[in-house]
């Protein structure tokens, strides 16, 4: 036996009201912005701005505050995240440093350069040097900034080296070789007898096919 339960007056009283809320959450014009820390700003058509805290499931709108319902702003934030248009909690939007495609990156790393799938480099990727047009093979992708890595015994860093000065000093350093005599092994390219050159990452343009 199930017992009938009283519905609190503050909750939507019918299925149809719930449906109307869902429709409004999906169709009304709202602009959502990820602020970090699971906080989102929602701007409505009438330029009202509300703060949604997804962790606490709270919204600053009167509907939420006084009626204790899951308002259309909270729903809209959840929909936009589910459909991939808004950064989930813990992430913020950032542009690919090469093509500008929007990516959702860990919020603590938002100020670092980011790269989309097409422009990420990994050992074994073939690249073109934008300065010389040479084709190279990537053997190492580091987390170190170009202005923090020295070149041999010279006074230059990768960032201050004359042909690298037009690139972002915060670029990560990539090690690459001229691949004429690289042999491929099961564990990837084997360039040990070759000299590895250090480049700021955006100086190297990924080639889609090994030429
Ligand atoms: Zn709200
Ligand atoms: Zn890209």
């Amino acid at each position: 036996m199930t017992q009938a339960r009283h519905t609190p007056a503050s909750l939507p009283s019918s299925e149809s009201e719930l449906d109307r809320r869902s429709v409004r959450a999906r169709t009304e014009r709202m602009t959502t912005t990820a602020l970090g820390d699971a906080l989102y700003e929602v701007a409505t058509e009438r330029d009202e701005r509300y703060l949604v805290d997804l962790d606490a499931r709270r919204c600053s709108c009167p509907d939420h505050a006084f009626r204790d319902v899951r308002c259309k702003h909270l729903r809209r934030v959840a929909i936009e995240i589910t459909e991939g248009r808004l950064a989930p909690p813990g992430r913020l939007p950032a542009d690919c440093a090469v093509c500008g495609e929007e990516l959702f990156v860990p919020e603590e790393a938002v100020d670092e350069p980011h790269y989309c799938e097409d422009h990420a480099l990994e050992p074994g990727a073939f690249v073109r040097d934008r300065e010389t047009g040479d084709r190279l093979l990537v053997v190492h992708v580091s987390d170190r900034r170009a202005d923090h890595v020295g070149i041999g015994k010279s006074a230059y860093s990768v960032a201050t080296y004359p042909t690298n000065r037009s690139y972002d000093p915060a670029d990560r350093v990539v090690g690459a070789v001229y691949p004429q005599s690289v042999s491929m092994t099961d564990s990837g390219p084997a360039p040990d007898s070759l000299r590895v050159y250090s480049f700021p990452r955006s100086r190297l343009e990924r080639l889609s096919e090994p030429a």
Side-chain angles (χ1 to χ4, degrees):
M1 278 273 282
T2 43
Q3 235 181 331
R5 296 178 68 186
H6 290 289
T7 307
S10 61
L11 284 180
S13 53
S14 67
E15 287 275 325
S16 65
E17 185 171 353
L18 274 172
D19 289 346
R20 281 200 301 276
R21 278 181 197 288
S22 298
V23 168
R24 283 204 302 271
R26 192 171 278 281
T27 58
E28 277 188 26
R29 196 179 302 170
M30 295 184 231
T31 309
T32 51
T33 310
L35 304 176
D37 260 346
L39 297 177
Y40 297 85
E41 186 187 75
V42 179
T44 67
E45 275 179 311
R46 286 178 289 171
D47 206 34
E48 298 154 334
R49 279 155 203 278
Y50 300 114
L51 193 63
V52 166
D53 181 339
L54 207 58
D55 275 351
R57 304 254 152 212
R58 307 271 328 156
C59 177
S60 61
C61 75
D63 207 23
H64 188 103
F66 300 124
R67 302 182 61 210
D68 199 26
V69 293
R70 191 163 170 245
C71 66
K72 60 191 178 189
H73 313 110
L74 255 168
R75 286 162 190 255
R76 180 61 163 264
V77 165
I79 290 168
E80 300 270 320
I81 291 171
T82 305
E83 297 183 358
R85 292 188 298 269
L86 187 62
R91 297 196 161 238
L92 283 172
D95 295 337
C96 168
V98 179
C99 69
E101 181 187 324
E102 188 180 70
L103 310 165
F104 298 143
V105 304
E107 59 187 40
E108 63 278 7
V110 73
D111 293 330
E112 294 170 17
H114 296 279
Y115 303 88
C116 72
E117 253 174 56
D118 284 347
H119 295 116
L121 295 179
E122 69 285 330
F126 284 91
V127 292
R128 189 182 72 88
D129 179 351
R130 292 175 197 273
E131 297 297 315
T132 63
D134 289 333
R135 194 169 72 93
L136 292 110
L137 177 63
V138 173
V139 292
H140 179 65
V141 178
S142 91
D143 289 333
R144 300 182 63 198
R145 293 167 54 110
D147 54 357
H148 292 173
V149 175
I151 293 188
K153 294 191 174 73
S154 75
Y156 292 122
S157 70
V158 173
T160 59
Y161 194 74
T163 52
N164 291 342
R165 284 182 188 161
S166 56
Y167 299 95
D168 186 349
D171 255 13
R172 283 359 191 205
V173 172
V174 172
V177 299
Y178 292 88
Q180 284 71 14
S181 57
V182 172
S183 52
M184 292 299 285
T185 68
D186 286 347
S187 52
D192 16 25
S193 62
L194 292 173
R195 171 135 185 232
V196 177
Y197 294 84
S198 297
F199 295 89
R201 187 162 175 160
S202 52
R203 177 168 162 176
L204 301 175
E205 178 186 15
R206 188 182 185 113
L207 295 171
S208 44
E209 293 293 323

